């Protein structure tokens, strides 16, 4: 099956310093991912958004996958990333190869905790963009100030509503020379995360992910 990378946009700001679809968490037996390679306690501890009532299942999946990649990037590569590449017939482009290298160096980063205030900021922008059919990070500075954190980062992705597709698209970051989305996901100073997947007038869906530290 051919794979098309979805349009994604990244944003970041430093203060002072610098739903829907099948749930991979619930239906992992159906998807046949090599879960046996992961410690069950690690899988559970990375699922920090499990009890967040303001997040949909797919939004929770994004938090969970983010934490798995941050906790053990090498194992994430051998399991989720490799499986996804095979299933979707993705070519080993320079971006894919560089992702394997970056994840191999990623280990034991802090697990991101879902934050309701950060989520409201992400949702506000996702709703705003969706209604207008727009892309980008309009009013980013305003959201960053409202977050009231020394570090605020933002990813935006268009065209997908499933957490796994969104995460892999942002991590691979095909065609984005700065690898800004990937860097935001693996930012060592991030502590909190907010996620919102919302309908989009032009791309059907858009997802905004805000990170704070």
């Amino acid at each position: 099956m051919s794979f098309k990378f979805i349009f994604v946009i990244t944003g970041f700001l430093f203060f002072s310093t610098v739903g829907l679809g099948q749930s991979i968490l619930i239906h992992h037996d159906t998807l046949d991912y090599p879960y046996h390679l992961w410690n069950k306690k690690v899988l559970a501890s990375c699922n920090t958004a499990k009890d967040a009532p303001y997040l949909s299942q797919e939004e929770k999946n994004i938090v969970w996958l983010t934490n798995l990649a941050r906790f053990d990037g090498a194992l994430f590569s051998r399991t989720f990333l490799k499986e996804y590449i095979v299933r979707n017939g993705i070519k080993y482009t320079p971006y894919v190869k560089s992702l394997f290298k970056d994840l191999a160096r990623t280990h034991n980063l802090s697990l991101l905790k879902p934050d309701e205030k950060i989520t409201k900021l992400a949702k506000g922008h996702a709703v705003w963009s969706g209604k207008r059919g727009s892309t980008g990070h309009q009013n980013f500075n305003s959201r960053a100030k409202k977050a009231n954190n020394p570090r605020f980062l933002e990813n935006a992705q268009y065209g997908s509503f499933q957490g796994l597709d969104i995460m892999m698209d942002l991590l691979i970051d095909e065609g984005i020379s700065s690898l800004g989305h990937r860097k935001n996901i693996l930012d060592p100073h991030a502590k909190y995360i907010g996620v919102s997947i919302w309908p989009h007038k032009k791309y059907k869906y858009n997802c905004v992910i805000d990170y704070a530290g």
Side-chain angles (χ1 to χ4, degrees), residues 24-109:
I24 57 173
L25 183 58
I26 294 176
H27 303 292
H28 55 81
D29 291 333
T30 303
L31 290 180
D32 196 32
Y33 274 92
Y35 280 83
H36 65 280
L37 296 176
W38 286 90
N39 182 288
K40 290 183 179 180
K41 290 184 179 180
V42 171
L43 289 173
S45 65
C46 287
N47 191 19
T48 58
K50 181 182 67 173
D51 298 319
Y54 50 87
L55 294 176
S56 69
Q57 185 59 57
E58 292 303 323
E59 291 164 349
K60 291 178 181 180
N61 285 343
I62 288 176
V63 178
W64 183 60
L65 289 166
T66 297
N67 283 332
L68 288 174
R70 291 171 63 87
F71 182 81
D72 191 338
L75 184 54
F76 186 88
S77 294
R78 298 199 304 272
T79 53
F80 290 96
L81 178 58
K82 185 176 180 180
E83 181 78 10
Y84 191 80
I85 287 173
V86 171
R87 287 182 178 232
N88 290 280
I90 299 172
K91 295 181 179 179
Y92 278 79
T93 67
Y95 288 90
V96 173
K97 292 177 181 178
S98 72
L99 175 56
F100 275 97
K101 291 180 180 179
D102 285 344
L103 288 173
R105 295 189 290 264
T106 302
H107 184 69
N108 242 2
L109 295 181

